[in-house]
Amino acid sequence: MIQILSRAQSSQKLIFKLFLDCLSKTNPVSIQQHKTSFEPVTVRHSLYRAAAYDKKKRRDEMTGPPQHSLNDGFSQPSSVVDTTLSEIFQSSSQNTNVTPLDVLQYLVDTKIVTKTIIQKAIVDIVRNNGKQTDTISKTQQHPKIATNSTTTIETTKNRTAKTSPITTTTTTTTKSAADASKTASNIRTRHIALKFFYDGSHYSGLAQNVGQDSDNSVERVLFAALQKAQLVQSRDSCRYSRCGRTDRGVSAAGQVVAMYLKSAVPIDATWQQDGDALVDTADLPTNERDSIRVWVYPRTKKKKKQQQEEEEEEGTPKQNGRVVKDIQEYPYAKMLNNLLPPSIRILGWTPVTEDFSARFSATTRLYRYFFCARQHNLPKIQTALTLLQGTHDFRNFCKMDVEKVYNFERKILSAKVTKQQQTFPQPQQPKVDNGSHCNDDTNLENATPQDVYYLEILGQAFLWHQIRCIAEVVFMVGRGLEDPSVVTRLLDVAQCRGKPAYPLADEKPLVLHDCRYHDLPVGYSVPNLWTLSCQLEQQWEDHTLAAARLRNCIDSLRSCTVQKGDLKDFCSAKLTERNRKRQRAGFIQTVDVSGPVHDSALSTIDDNDNAKSVITWEESLQLLKQLNFVPDSHGLDSSSVHVPLLERSRGTTYEEKVASLKKSDKRRQKYEDNVIKKRKTTEEDAAFYEHMTKQGSTIQETKSTMESSSSRL
């Protein structure tokens, strides 16, 4: 069985398990207890895999029902495994009492386990369990292992020091663990704000669903890159904060997050050679181009470092081997962009104060919602947006989450319609703001259907789905289905109790364009912006050419011909279906198929010519337009009936939602924790936000401290 075990591919996994038990158990145990402590399922699985190499020889010896099945159909009864375990323990003295260390010594003596495997086991333990100190101390306590494996363990100790996880400057360790985590304890972290872009169509949203394997969020990908670059140890230890939480499909051009990242300047760097005057975090470079000249310990080779540590253990005093070095900060944007997918790009970074929060320190957030002009009445959309400006209760323009939010008042600073620039802007004279909310688009009435515009809404903070709800309502106004005054009536929550039922606008055109702060000058690098510009221009070109191919196909349809009789039957069927839906919805007045407008359109089709005479598709579209049939994104629902918003069914009010929480203990407890216990007075909220909005970059502080420190060298 020993020969079989030595050839087993999974024997190393079994040895890891044995070695883990060697660290955790030092008291003698009986053979029966020993089997249990090794988790027989895991041990047997490894032995089954080992025995599979010689299954023909052992198949005749098997008796009893199989306990475990292999992929190749081989199975091993438990009696054979138990016998094999007993054989392994026979070499120990006093067959009834052995320790896990005795088992390990037996495996070393029989050369089933090599020193290399032990080294790998220690590395695995340190990385996964952080028990490096216990590994060394407990192993050295055993007399047999201490005499034969001291060199192996000491060598492994040196190797694992470099793979220790990142720790913050506030980490405290005991004297025994200080040597084992020497490299980790020398790491400095600093509070950094990152500004980045992402294409939300590839992800399930910004926020990470921690613990879910199916999570496809932006934060999951971001933290995977941060941990791979060894800039953070974990999400919990880096004090992570984000500005705006975007939903599935929503993109961002200027999202901001903040966290503590690893710095290139070690924590023991000093201004003087003798080790005095430690470099403070405020003295660190504020960008990746600047550098500071400090005294640090040089990086040594492995052999030299091992020899140096052995001398320290023998009591030899360490020489002060500091050298002067110019250190630049890590290029965070470049490092992360090399690990992130093209749909997520870091734009720049800046150091921030300790109390800075990407969420609570933000003064305003700017959203843009893109749309095609089509048949929208843009001046009416602008009128509706103007009514949204100011402080209002937006509970009818959001999805209420009563378990977390109790105040639905938000302030919108500006809301306007702007035309998207199709080319690079030309140099022009600065314009005087005349109070218009449409920028330089003075002729909104002359917009062509293919022109691209966007709603630009600037506010302090926003509710869940607030922008998409606003977009859906103003688009109803733009299509002539609602009057702009409906916005005012929806904002009057005293009269309009309960949100009318209406769908959300599509999420893909929505972009978190910018997050603004009182003092946050983000630092950008030319190489990073050049690379990012080239990549985004390539993506834009690909999508523009794809749109051009679609437009070419659409234009080619205009020369197609159809029979007039077919066109007339199509129009009559559509109008009849529209009337039937209006009657079903409770509208007494129906669409008159024989009305003057419809008669004019149908008479053009039904002329004296034969019904089989043909007409071009371009001419057909003009006639269909007179009947309010337009081939756009709503064209397939052109026969649907619009019910006025204020006549639709209403959702439950805030008070009704809160009352319903009493039916669920879990939801009621969440409401009490998030709302009742955390609710502050108006004065407390004002004082909190006044303090948080003053937080920002530390660049000015760093400049002053660096000027005062430059004379020390």
Side-chain angles (χ1 to χ4, degrees), residues 48-69:
Y48 299 152
R49 299 283 298 187
Y53 287 91
D54 200 17
K55 61 180 181 180
K56 290 183 180 180
K57 181 179 178 181
R58 292 187 172 271
R59 182 164 297 183
D60 297 336
E61 301 177 1
M62 297 182 188
T63 57
Q67 299 293 325
H68 186 79
S69 297

Tab-separated table of all heavy atoms in Angstrom, residues 48-69:
chain	number	residue	atom	x	y	z
A	48	TYR	N	-8.494	5.620	-1.849
A	48	TYR	CA	-9.175	5.021	-2.997
A	48	TYR	C	-8.486	5.417	-4.294
A	48	TYR	O	-8.268	4.604	-5.192
A	48	TYR	CB	-10.636	5.468	-3.063
A	48	TYR	CG	-11.475	5.083	-1.874
A	48	TYR	CD1	-12.559	5.850	-1.500
A	48	TYR	CD2	-11.181	3.937	-1.125
A	48	TYR	CE1	-13.334	5.507	-0.410
A	48	TYR	CE2	-11.954	3.594	-0.038
A	48	TYR	CZ	-13.024	4.384	0.319
A	48	TYR	OH	-13.784	4.046	1.384
A	49	ARG	N	-8.157	6.701	-4.392
A	49	ARG	CA	-7.483	7.180	-5.592
A	49	ARG	C	-6.136	6.478	-5.763
A	49	ARG	O	-5.724	6.152	-6.875
A	49	ARG	CB	-7.264	8.691	-5.507
A	49	ARG	CG	-8.528	9.504	-5.391
A	49	ARG	CD	-9.238	9.643	-6.695
A	49	ARG	NE	-8.428	10.350	-7.672
A	49	ARG	CZ	-8.879	10.727	-8.871
A	49	ARG	NH1	-10.109	10.441	-9.213
A	49	ARG	NH2	-8.102	11.367	-9.712
A	50	ALA	N	-5.433	6.255	-4.616
A	50	ALA	CA	-4.138	5.578	-4.694
A	50	ALA	C	-4.308	4.128	-5.131
A	50	ALA	O	-3.574	3.626	-5.986
A	50	ALA	CB	-3.444	5.646	-3.338
A	51	ALA	N	-5.285	3.478	-4.541
A	51	ALA	CA	-5.472	2.065	-4.858
A	51	ALA	C	-5.984	1.848	-6.271
A	51	ALA	O	-5.890	0.743	-6.806
A	51	ALA	CB	-6.439	1.438	-3.855
A	52	ALA	N	-6.518	2.888	-6.899
A	52	ALA	CA	-7.039	2.737	-8.256
A	52	ALA	C	-5.948	2.375	-9.245
A	52	ALA	O	-6.231	1.789	-10.295
A	52	ALA	CB	-7.729	4.023	-8.699
A	53	TYR	N	-4.692	2.683	-8.916
A	53	TYR	CA	-3.588	2.344	-9.816
A	53	TYR	C	-3.327	0.829	-9.839
A	53	TYR	O	-2.660	0.322	-10.731
A	53	TYR	CB	-2.317	3.081	-9.387
A	53	TYR	CG	-2.360	4.536	-9.698
A	53	TYR	CD1	-2.856	5.444	-8.772
A	53	TYR	CD2	-1.926	5.020	-10.925
A	53	TYR	CE1	-2.911	6.786	-9.045
A	53	TYR	CE2	-1.976	6.370	-11.208
A	53	TYR	CZ	-2.463	7.258	-10.266
A	53	TYR	OH	-2.513	8.601	-10.540
A	54	ASP	N	-3.789	0.146	-8.828
A	54	ASP	CA	-3.561	-1.291	-8.770
A	54	ASP	C	-4.880	-2.024	-8.557
A	54	ASP	O	-4.970	-2.994	-7.822
A	54	ASP	CB	-2.587	-1.622	-7.620
A	54	ASP	CG	-1.939	-2.996	-7.809
A	54	ASP	OD1	-1.994	-3.522	-8.936
A	54	ASP	OD2	-1.407	-3.524	-6.824
A	55	LYS	N	-5.945	-1.540	-9.218
A	55	LYS	CA	-7.281	-2.058	-8.926
A	55	LYS	C	-7.446	-3.511	-9.387
A	55	LYS	O	-8.215	-4.269	-8.787
A	55	LYS	CB	-8.346	-1.181	-9.585
A	55	LYS	CG	-8.260	-1.122	-11.104
A	55	LYS	CD	-9.360	-0.232	-11.644
A	55	LYS	CE	-9.307	-0.171	-13.179
A	55	LYS	NZ	-10.371	0.677	-13.707
A	56	LYS	N	-6.759	-3.909	-10.457
A	56	LYS	CA	-6.895	-5.285	-10.924
A	56	LYS	C	-6.405	-6.278	-9.878
A	56	LYS	O	-6.995	-7.345	-9.676
A	56	LYS	CB	-6.112	-5.469	-12.218
A	56	LYS	CG	-6.714	-4.746	-13.399
A	56	LYS	CD	-5.937	-5.038	-14.671
A	56	LYS	CE	-6.546	-4.310	-15.854
A	56	LYS	NZ	-5.814	-4.579	-17.111
A	57	LYS	N	-5.315	-5.901	-9.196
A	57	LYS	CA	-4.735	-6.802	-8.204
A	57	LYS	C	-5.612	-6.917	-6.980
A	57	LYS	O	-5.697	-7.973	-6.348
A	57	LYS	CB	-3.341	-6.303	-7.822
A	57	LYS	CG	-2.631	-7.179	-6.810
A	57	LYS	CD	-1.244	-6.621	-6.522
A	57	LYS	CE	-0.536	-7.455	-5.480
A	57	LYS	NZ	0.816	-6.932	-5.160
A	58	ARG	N	-6.284	-5.801	-6.602
A	58	ARG	CA	-7.052	-5.787	-5.353
A	58	ARG	C	-8.531	-6.090	-5.554
A	58	ARG	O	-9.256	-6.191	-4.592
A	58	ARG	CB	-6.914	-4.423	-4.673
A	58	ARG	CG	-5.493	-4.171	-4.164
A	58	ARG	CD	-5.467	-2.894	-3.349
A	58	ARG	NE	-4.183	-2.734	-2.698
A	58	ARG	CZ	-3.889	-3.233	-1.490
A	58	ARG	NH1	-4.794	-3.903	-0.830
A	58	ARG	NH2	-2.693	-3.066	-0.960
A	59	ARG	N	-8.977	-6.183	-6.786
A	59	ARG	CA	-10.418	-6.339	-7.006
A	59	ARG	C	-10.930	-7.643	-6.418
A	59	ARG	O	-12.053	-7.707	-5.907
A	59	ARG	CB	-10.712	-6.266	-8.497
A	59	ARG	CG	-12.180	-6.375	-8.821
A	59	ARG	CD	-12.465	-5.908	-10.217
A	59	ARG	NE	-12.134	-4.507	-10.375
A	59	ARG	CZ	-12.336	-3.822	-11.501
A	59	ARG	NH1	-12.837	-4.421	-12.545
A	59	ARG	NH2	-12.015	-2.554	-11.567
A	60	ASP	N	-10.123	-8.707	-6.462
A	60	ASP	CA	-10.557	-9.997	-5.924
A	60	ASP	C	-10.627	-9.986	-4.410
A	60	ASP	O	-11.290	-10.846	-3.811
A	60	ASP	CB	-9.603	-11.094	-6.391
A	60	ASP	CG	-9.626	-11.258	-7.900
A	60	ASP	OD1	-10.636	-10.889	-8.518
A	60	ASP	OD2	-8.608	-11.743	-8.452
A	61	GLU	N	-9.910	-9.060	-3.754
A	61	GLU	CA	-9.886	-9.026	-2.297
A	61	GLU	C	-11.041	-8.215	-1.701
A	61	GLU	O	-11.225	-8.203	-0.497
A	61	GLU	CB	-8.567	-8.428	-1.804
A	61	GLU	CG	-7.357	-9.201	-2.271
A	61	GLU	CD	-6.061	-8.547	-1.841
A	61	GLU	OE1	-6.156	-7.496	-1.170
A	61	GLU	OE2	-4.992	-9.060	-2.164
A	62	MET	N	-11.784	-7.505	-2.547
A	62	MET	CA	-12.825	-6.606	-2.037
A	62	MET	C	-14.058	-7.387	-1.604
A	62	MET	O	-14.489	-8.308	-2.283
A	62	MET	CB	-13.230	-5.599	-3.103
A	62	MET	CG	-12.120	-4.689	-3.502
A	62	MET	SD	-12.707	-3.512	-4.701
A	62	MET	CE	-11.142	-2.772	-5.114
A	63	THR	N	-14.617	-6.969	-0.497
A	63	THR	CA	-15.849	-7.561	0.022
A	63	THR	C	-16.705	-6.457	0.593
A	63	THR	O	-16.211	-5.425	1.029
A	63	THR	CB	-15.559	-8.583	1.124
A	63	THR	OG1	-14.814	-7.946	2.144
A	63	THR	CG2	-14.790	-9.783	0.571
A	64	GLY	N	-17.988	-6.697	0.635
A	64	GLY	CA	-18.883	-5.709	1.218
A	64	GLY	C	-19.282	-4.644	0.226
A	64	GLY	O	-18.729	-4.545	-0.876
A	65	PRO	N	-20.291	-3.822	0.602
A	65	PRO	CA	-20.781	-2.768	-0.297
A	65	PRO	C	-19.754	-1.664	-0.441
A	65	PRO	O	-18.995	-1.373	0.479
A	65	PRO	CB	-22.037	-2.261	0.416
A	65	PRO	CG	-21.793	-2.558	1.855
A	65	PRO	CD	-20.999	-3.828	1.883
A	66	PRO	N	-19.677	-1.007	-1.600
A	66	PRO	CA	-18.724	0.099	-1.795
A	66	PRO	C	-19.119	1.315	-0.980
A	66	PRO	O	-20.296	1.607	-0.800
A	66	PRO	CB	-18.809	0.378	-3.305
A	66	PRO	CG	-20.178	-0.081	-3.694
A	66	PRO	CD	-20.476	-1.254	-2.820
A	67	GLN	N	-18.105	2.017	-0.465
A	67	GLN	CA	-18.327	3.222	0.325
A	67	GLN	C	-18.114	4.490	-0.478
A	67	GLN	O	-18.570	5.546	-0.089
A	67	GLN	CB	-17.376	3.234	1.530
A	67	GLN	CG	-17.575	2.067	2.473
A	67	GLN	CD	-18.908	2.134	3.179
A	67	GLN	OE1	-19.391	3.211	3.505
A	67	GLN	NE2	-19.525	0.978	3.408
A	68	HIS	N	-17.367	4.389	-1.578
A	68	HIS	CA	-17.057	5.589	-2.352
A	68	HIS	C	-16.792	5.180	-3.790
A	68	HIS	O	-16.171	4.142	-4.033
A	68	HIS	CB	-15.828	6.288	-1.778
A	68	HIS	CG	-15.548	7.606	-2.428
A	68	HIS	ND1	-16.227	8.739	-2.106
A	68	HIS	CD2	-14.661	7.950	-3.390
A	68	HIS	CE1	-15.771	9.740	-2.824
A	68	HIS	NE2	-14.815	9.282	-3.618
A	69	SER	N	-17.243	5.917	-4.752
A	69	SER	CA	-17.079	5.595	-6.158
A	69	SER	C	-16.149	6.581	-6.813
A	69	SER	O	-16.237	7.777	-6.576
A	69	SER	CB	-18.439	5.627	-6.884
A	69	SER	OG	-19.287	4.643	-6.346
